[in-house]
Amino acid sequence: MKDRRCFWASFFSTLCLIILACGVIMVDYQTTKVGFGERQPMILVQVSEEKTTLSLHVLGMGGEWDITKLDHWTQRAESAVITAVDEGRKLLKEIELQKAYK
């Protein structure tokens, strides 16, 4: 019983900290947008033919990272998943039991 209380106390504390951080970030973004007229988004992904970049601007800090390899990896993973789903549908159409239940 004591272990559960520790778990739930730490879970609730962590959740509160995450919500607080999200609130501070949103207030900073809205204040910058209203007070200074900046329309730059917090997170911006720019895709061009040769590279993909991620720009992050939060709480007055910012950075830009090259995520081209990650973009290529996600495109390959997406095409693999789509192919697997299509092949699965073809297999289900071939099974006689599936036709009997339709």
Side-chain angles (χ1 to χ4, degrees):
M1 185 70 173
K2 190 174 186 179
D3 293 335
R4 288 183 186 171
R5 277 193 236 158
C6 290
F7 169 76
W8 286 111
S10 62
F11 177 78
F12 183 71
S13 300
T14 304
L15 188 65
C16 286
L17 287 174
I18 291 171
I19 291 172
L20 176 69
C22 289
V24 167
I25 290 171
M26 288 306 299
V27 165
D28 175 63
Y29 175 70
Q30 295 297 334
T31 303
T32 305
K33 190 168 93 174
V34 170
F36 302 113
E38 290 185 17
R39 296 280 184 206
Q40 185 176 14
M42 288 190 294
I43 301 170
L44 178 65
V45 177
Q46 295 176 335
V47 180
S48 65
E49 291 182 14
E50 60 273 351
K51 73 177 194 174
T52 304
T53 58
L54 170 70
S55 299
L56 187 65
H57 301 282
V58 177
L59 297 175
M61 298 178 288
E64 189 170 302
W65 296 274
D66 183 14
I67 57 167
T68 306
K69 291 182 181 180
L70 178 65
D71 186 38
H72 291 308
W73 182 84
T74 54
Q75 287 175 357
R76 285 194 306 267
E78 180 183 18
S79 66
V81 168
I82 289 172
T83 303
V85 168
D86 289 341
E87 291 298 320
R89 285 184 181 154
K90 288 178 187 176
L91 286 173
L92 284 176
K93 287 180 182 178
E94 293 175 4
I95 297 174
E96 292 296 325
L97 292 174
Q98 291 293 329
K99 291 180 182 178
Y101 286 114
K102 286 184 179 179

